[in-house]
Amino acid sequence: MIPSKINPLPTPLRALFASALLWFPVLSSAAEKTVGNVRAALVAEDLRAPAGGTSWVGVRLTMAPGWHTYWKNPGDSGMATRIRWILPPTVTAGDIHWPAPERIVLPPLVSFGYEKETLLLVPLQIAPGATGPVKLSARVDWLECSDVCVPGRADLELRLNVGPSAQPNPAVADLFARYRNRLPRPPDGWTLEANRSGKSVKVSLQPPTGENISSKAFTFFPEDEDTAEAGAVPAAVLRDGKITVEFLSETKRVQGVLVAADGPDAIVAYSLDLPVTDGPATAPLGWVLLLAFAGGLLLNLMPCVLPVLSLKAFGFLKDAGLDAASRRRQGLLYVAGVVVSFWALAGALLALRAGGQGLGWGFHLQSPRFVLVLIGLFVLLAANLWGFFEVGGRWVGAAAERGRSWGAFGSGVLATVVATPCTAPFMGTAIGVALAQPAPAALAVFTSLALGMAFPYWLLTVVPAAGRWLPRPGPWMNRVKMVLGFFLLATAGWLLWVLYQQSPAAVGPAAALGAALGVAAWAYGQKQRGIRFRWYATTLAAVLAAGAWAWSAAGTGAISSSENGVWEVYTPERVAELEKEGRPYFIDFTAAWCLTCQVNKKTTLEKPETLALFRENNVALLRADWTNRDETIARALAGWGRSGVPLYVLKGRGAPALLPALLTPGLVRDALSKMKEEAS
Amino acid sequence: MNIRSLLSVLLLLVGTASFAAPEIGKPAPAFVLKDTQGKDVSLADYKGKIVVLEWINHGCPFVKKHYGSGNMQKLQKDYTDKGVVWLSIASSAPGKEGYMKADGWNKAIAEKKSAATAVLLDPDGVAGRAYGAKTTPHMFVIDAEGRVAYKGAIDDRPSADPADVPGAKNYVRQALDSVLAGKAVTTPSTTPYGCGVKYK
């Protein structure tokens, strides 16, 4: 910079400018130089740098009071400090490692930089075989500002000894330790989320369990103006054990540094780099309630619920003689049974989530013991359909009415319990939103889901003409009952397979329990018919024994399901790697107990033509198996606004695509070609 | 609190809230400012013309870089010759760096050989805040329909070093050439660099 090139200035600035002339660097070099309001020094961490290794140097900038220099993203104004090296061929300098900056606010402008002092750390790679002292020259350019700005430059020079091993300089150990401590570190073990809500992005960070973050102040520094304008980022706040910050931004990726501070010298900085997902909060509640209702309605058609519902319908046919009032009452009690069960489920889910557990729909199936209970239940239902025994006694009069009422309520509960392994279309979205909402809204969504599920049967009970829509009762009913009984047994068989995934040792005892229950049900039926059966007590004892055996076996350890070689195990790290490579990926969020997932696997995901399509498009296949409880997967699901499986995510270069809950090869093909279009 | 101070607090709040750059393709915010001759100048006066807004502060080393090297004046001359209106806006508050009264500005215009159509005085920072002007220089190009066609830096070399002027890619020149040719601006938005605007 040649001073004579600069034209004279108007009077008030002339004095300032004249003094600025004095600050221009003299063109000689030293390890330390004071220019204007900044002292710049080149400091080596080692007295002797290791040949073939890394040695760190730092550019130490000490600012006069009231002055600051800038971070790599200077914010609304300013300029990042720049270092240009002149080095011997045996030494290569890396990028600047920037310590966490401070917010410098001059309303309405916000800048990011350093007041008082900073040390910009640079790793030097020393070639193997290098010897003797080497000369390091650095030209450092910075902008120093108070309420005015002055550019500064210093040419600094340092001789660094090189030897076979490193010998640190104890005199600067504290300095390097202090600033290395301020370098952003990867947020290992943290759960990071960035969700879009309208025009803003909400970033939330949850520390690893057990880490206390209660007493700190938090600041987010965006890496560049694409992530956020400096003035648009408010202070981050701590809420529900999570650090959150929300700012206006159109970015698809959040990059920057989060600084947690207990004081000016007690800070921890984390480097953040995560994609922004479309948040669940954007859907209006009314729409979600509608989705939930539709999901509940469709749940009736799922293989786990259909047989139970038919059972109910048969009962209805049998009771065709009942008066309208009694029928309506039964209908309402059935609805009540379903709604109350859904509330119980919602309550448990919300309570557990408040306790910090990542759970979703079907969460109880992650417990092998619950699966065991379901197996028993399905066996008994099948036995009932096959006419092994009757439910309820031969009550008369008021007792019969009471019995029917409890029966109606109970069948509502039963229908809900057996429905839980199934997910209907729309349900995933609705429940995902529900669990992200405050409790009243979440309860509303669950209620809507329950009402949707109870709706068809309720309709039968209130429409007087409903009887005419249904076929007349007759012997055909028994044949249908046989078939439906097989359905239920098949479901029990499938649950046995689920149990195998979770706790292989429990499968034998569980099968024994099923058999014993079948025999016991038959024996009970004999007793109901007044036929004497000598081994009645023995069968009951067998049920109890098998039950106890299975119960304890189900408590033992789980195996992880073995997978097809094409599929990699999902980890957030792998996703980050793929993002960095720019390679597209597909995530199959699945679980053995998720029937819809298994169907999709058979019809689509494991089909050779689908796999070939993925291969053609160089799509990495990741499988997130949620058969057993897994916090990482639960959090990943939450990141996509879901709380249950299945979920299918296809991400290319453009926005991620969420595929529907019921897959077809055609759907996958379309999604892939759309992804290709976006990339080109 | 009397009505006047209440009003000024409200105005301050409104002013702070509205500090945001206008979006590309959206109408450029209107303003009326005094020029160095004491005349009111309104953006609406130049309807149908292409307008450049340049935030200026002669105390700022980044502004010095472009005026000291003659880069800014050449840009002003090249395009005012083609009928473009060039308005330099000074949003420095009284007592802050870069603030001058009208006669000081007239002297500076002559000394620097500024070829701007006018220098507008914005000591209250009203226009600066309306445009979200962050730095000096911070550049805006407004097309003949009054829409924002470019906002951001003057070029791609964020430094105060005049030696960086010759090799730089000048975004304002690119934007003006495109707008004059009736084409879309390829880089309509960049991150401005420079000193912070010295607002009140």
Side-chain angles (χ1 to χ4, degrees):
Chain A
M1 197 179 286
I2 305 154
S4 68
K5 265 195 163 181
I6 293 168
N7 292 323
L9 285 164
T11 333
L13 296 169
R14 208 170 274 157
L16 179 71
F17 188 69
S19 56
L21 287 179
L22 302 175
W23 299 329
F24 285 144
V26 195
L27 288 170
S28 74
S29 294
E32 185 178 309
K33 209 170 282 176
T34 301
V35 184
N37 307 285
V38 173
R39 186 171 79 234
L42 190 56
V43 190
E45 187 173 23
D46 295 328
L47 288 170
R48 189 181 65 214
T54 305
S55 185
W56 288 77
V57 291
V59 169
R60 184 184 191 175
L61 299 174
T62 314
M63 278 61 79
W67 292 80
H68 58 263
T69 56
Y70 292 91
W71 188 49
K72 60 178 166 182
N73 171 16
D76 285 339
S77 64
M79 187 183 80
T81 300
R82 187 161 64 152
I83 306 173
R84 278 172 288 189
W85 293 94
I86 301 165
L87 299 168
T90 48
V91 181
T92 329
D95 290 336
I96 299 176
H97 288 51
W98 301 84
E102 298 156 56
R103 269 169 76 91
I104 297 155
V105 183
L106 284 166
L109 301 177
V110 177
S111 297
F112 303 141
Y114 306 101
E115 291 178 307
K116 294 185 185 131
E117 185 195 68
T118 191
L119 184 71
L120 307 178
L121 292 148
V122 178
L124 297 180
Q125 209 59 46
I126 318 285
T131 52
V134 290
K135 192 174 101 173
L136 314 173
S137 306
R139 166 167 286 189
V140 185
D141 281 291
W142 66 83
L143 184 71
E144 56 193 78
C145 293
S146 58
D147 50 355
V148 298
C149 300
V150 183
R153 168 177 292 178
D155 287 301
L156 304 172
E157 215 175 273
L158 189 72
R159 275 175 197 284
L160 182 64
N161 285 315
V162 175
S165 63
Q167 190 197 339
N169 180 0
V172 296
D174 278 354
L175 177 75
F176 274 83
R178 190 160 74 241
Y179 284 98
R180 199 162 270 142
N181 213 24
R182 299 177 82 95
L183 291 180
R185 60 198 71 181
D188 290 331
W190 287 62
T191 306
L192 312 179
E193 276 173 38
N195 290 309
R196 168 155 304 288
S197 77
K199 285 192 167 175
S200 59
V201 169
K202 189 175 171 188
V203 183
S204 86
L205 308 106
Q206 193 172 7
T209 33
E211 195 162 313
N212 183 22
I213 50 162
S214 55
S215 65
K216 292 175 177 173
F218 308 95
T219 317
F220 174 65
F221 296 93
E223 186 98 355
D224 49 34
E225 212 180 34
D226 287 339
T227 293
E229 292 193 35
V233 184
V237 293
L238 186 67
R239 201 186 300 140
D240 302 334
K242 281 184 187 173
I243 303 165
T244 56
V245 60
E246 191 167 351
F247 46 83
L248 284 172
S249 167
E250 288 170 359
T251 188
K252 288 187 172 163
R253 191 156 200 93
V254 168
Q255 288 174 295
V257 172
L258 181 94
V259 174
D262 269 330
D265 293 317
I267 71 151
V268 188
Y270 297 98
S271 53
L272 307 183
D273 183 0
L274 64 159
V276 176
T277 53
D278 289 329
T282 47
L285 190 61
W287 173 242
V288 176
L289 290 178
L290 207 67
L291 274 185
F293 190 83
L297 213 56
L298 288 170
L299 203 49
N300 285 300
L301 298 177
M302 293 293 130
C304 14
V305 189
L306 192 62
V308 180
L309 196 77
S310 332
L311 213 64
K312 196 67 208 141
F314 287 142
F316 182 75
L317 285 179
K318 229 169 42 191
D319 291 338
L322 281 178
D323 61 284
S326 162
R327 219 161 42 190
R328 267 202 297 276
R329 218 162 67 98
Q330 275 200 43
L332 284 177
L333 280 163
Y334 173 78
V335 174
V338 173
V339 171
V340 167
S341 315
F342 267 89
W343 282 351
L345 212 59
L349 265 174
L350 289 173
L352 288 168
R353 283 178 79 94
Q357 295 195 49
L359 295 174
W361 181 251
F363 69 101
H364 49 284
L365 289 162
Q366 290 171 343
S367 149
R369 283 178 176 159
F370 194 91
V371 174
L372 192 68
V373 169
L374 273 182
I375 291 173
L377 197 61
F378 277 102
V379 169
L380 284 180
L381 281 171
N384 178 251
L385 275 176
W386 283 344
F388 281 20
F389 71 101
E390 301 293 322
V391 178
R394 290 177 173 70
W395 292 303
V396 282
E401 185 62 32
R402 214 170 31 245
R404 262 198 294 276
S405 298
W406 277 111
F409 184 85
S411 51
V413 174
L414 185 69
T416 309
V417 171
V418 298
T420 50
C422 282
T423 308
F426 312 135
M427 264 178 67
T429 317
I431 294 181
V433 174
L435 292 176
Q437 302 272 344
L443 269 183
V445 174
F446 273 90
T447 309
S448 183
L449 199 58
L451 291 177
M453 184 171 154
F455 184 73
Y457 181 74
W458 175 77
L459 200 64
L460 280 183
T461 62
V462 288
V463 180
R468 262 180 276 136
W469 304 346
L470 295 170
R472 307 193 73 72
W476 63 270
M477 274 170 51
N478 285 330
R479 284 196 291 277
V480 175
K481 277 185 174 180
M482 287 289 158
V483 174
L484 289 175
F486 276 111
F487 264 31
L488 288 174
L489 264 200
T491 310
W494 162 67
L495 284 170
L496 215 52
W497 175 75
V498 171
L499 191 62
Y500 173 75
Q501 307 292 321
Q502 295 173 327
S503 180
V507 172
L513 174 67
L517 272 175
V519 176
W522 175 76
Y524 178 65
Q526 296 293 84
K527 203 174 155 220
Q528 279 180 327
R529 292 181 193 107
I531 300 168
R532 288 193 54 173
F533 184 64
R534 277 174 65 190
W535 304 104
Y536 184 62
T538 320
T539 53
L540 283 184
V543 168
L544 285 177
W549 183 27
W551 186 261
S552 67
T556 61
I559 54 161
S560 58
S561 47
S562 57
E563 286 297 351
N564 190 327
V566 195
W567 292 86
E568 300 175 54
V569 175
Y570 165 89
T571 61
E573 294 76 29
R574 181 67 184 133
V575 169
E577 254 175 63
L578 290 166
E579 289 271 355
K580 208 171 264 177
E581 284 173 34
R583 191 177 161 198
Y585 57 87
F586 178 86
I587 314 176
D588 170 19
F589 287 96
T590 182
W593 41 259
C594 159
L595 201 53
T596 321
C597 306
Q598 303 311 319
V599 171
N600 286 332
K601 232 190 231 185
K602 285 282 160 293
T603 60
T604 309
L605 291 178
E606 298 292 340
K607 282 262 169 98
E609 65 257 37
T610 312
L611 292 173
L613 267 176
F614 279 133
R615 215 168 25 245
E616 264 167 44
N617 289 287
N618 189 31
V619 176
L621 298 176
L622 305 177
R623 182 160 280 160
D625 190 331
W626 207 34
T627 304
N628 296 302
R629 284 197 39 204
D630 187 319
E631 283 293 311
T632 316
I633 294 174
R635 282 179 181 163
L637 283 168
W640 294 105
R642 295 300 176 88
S643 66
V645 286
L647 173 66
Y648 305 103
V649 179
L650 179 65
K651 172 89 169 64
R653 233 167 255 167
L658 302 188
L659 274 51
L662 279 171
L663 287 181
T664 64
L667 270 171
V668 173
R669 193 178 320 117
D670 292 349
L672 282 170
S673 49
K674 201 168 153 221
M675 181 189 84
K676 240 195 299 189
E677 269 169 39
E678 275 179 21
S680 62
Chain B
M1 190 183 275
N2 62 35
I3 294 290
R4 179 175 288 205
S5 54
L6 186 72
L7 269 178
S8 56
V9 166
L10 278 175
L11 272 175
L12 191 71
L13 284 175
V14 171
T16 312
S18 65
F19 186 78
E23 285 174 46
I24 296 299
K26 293 280 162 65
F31 57 78
V32 182
L33 295 171
K34 289 236 185 294
D35 71 5
T36 56
Q37 310 300 326
K39 205 176 77 198
D40 278 343
V41 173
S42 165
L43 183 62
D45 298 345
Y46 299 110
K47 203 145 192 205
K49 294 206 169 191
I50 298 165
V51 179
V52 175
L53 305 182
E54 170 214 348
W55 259 264
I56 190 169
N57 160 7
H58 280 304
C60 165
F62 294 87
V63 174
K64 287 177 192 164
K65 166 188 170 186
H66 293 287
Y67 275 93
S69 61
N71 185 42
M72 191 67 86
Q73 298 91 323
K74 179 156 189 346
L75 204 61
Q76 291 165 344
K77 179 108 187 30
D78 286 354
Y79 290 94
T80 46
D81 282 355
K82 291 180 185 172
V84 170
V85 173
W86 189 293
L87 303 174
S88 305
I89 301 179
S91 295
S92 292
K96 298 249 172 111
E97 184 191 63
Y99 172 77
M100 286 186 281
K101 292 210 171 104
D103 53 341
W105 270 108
N106 284 327
K107 235 181 273 171
I109 291 167
E111 278 173 7
K112 308 261 177 225
K113 302 189 173 65
S114 163
T117 310
V119 174
L120 306 182
L121 309 179
D122 181 33
D124 293 326
V126 176
R129 286 171 202 266
Y131 278 81
K134 290 174 177 171
T135 60
T136 49
H138 191 163
M139 311 296 297
F140 293 85
V141 174
I142 300 165
D143 68 17
E145 278 82 52
R147 292 174 310 214
V148 180
Y150 175 79
K151 57 175 179 181
I154 180 167
D155 62 23
D156 64 346
R157 298 288 168 89
S159 83
D161 191 345
D164 284 335
V165 168
K169 178 160 77 173
N170 194 303
Y171 293 127
V172 177
R173 189 175 285 279
Q174 278 191 344
L176 282 168
D177 287 344
S178 300
V179 173
L180 281 166
K183 284 190 276 190
V185 178
T186 42
T187 314
S189 177
T190 60
T191 303
Y193 70 85
C195 316
V197 173
K198 310 304 178 197
Y199 286 109
K200 193 150 98 176

